[in-house]
Amino acid sequence: MLILQRKAGESLVIGEDITIRVVSVDGTRVRLAISAPEDVPILRSELVTATAANRDSAMEESAPAELLDLLGGVLDHKTQPPEKPGGKED
């Protein structure tokens, strides 16, 4: 890993066609301007992590009966009338 120090207004170049410029520094926040070809994806790391986690959970296989059991508790709760105060029924 390369670690560089840059001040506001300074930039760095990656390869021949990617430029990252420090727009401003405000306390612990740094604003960056990134110039790259349209075919180069630029994503925040937390989005990459969330996408990978979502993909992994979607790939986990569950039997349809298991999914219905999970949904059954939610659906049963929604379709049953609410209990009256004190737990008494008419």
Side-chain angles (χ1 to χ4, degrees):
M1 174 185 292
L2 174 65
I3 299 174
L4 299 172
Q5 291 184 358
R6 302 278 74 201
K7 296 177 183 177
E10 295 180 334
S11 62
L12 58 105
V13 177
I14 300 173
E16 294 180 13
D17 51 3
I18 299 174
T19 301
I20 301 174
R21 185 170 56 91
V22 178
V23 176
S24 65
V25 180
D26 184 23
T28 60
R29 296 184 69 104
V30 177
R31 294 185 65 159
L32 302 173
I34 302 170
S35 174
E38 288 184 20
D39 63 331
V40 175
I42 301 171
L43 300 170
R44 297 188 325 250
S45 60
E46 62 270 19
L47 293 180
V48 174
T49 303
T51 300
N54 191 22
R55 187 179 310 118
D56 290 346
S57 65
M59 292 177 70
E60 291 179 11
E61 292 186 25
S62 296
E66 291 177 33
L67 295 173
L68 288 174
D69 286 343
L70 288 172
L71 287 175
V74 173
L75 294 176
D76 289 343
H77 178 71
K78 288 184 178 180
T79 57
Q80 293 177 355
E83 283 188 25
K84 294 190 176 188
K88 297 180 184 178
E89 293 186 22
D90 289 333

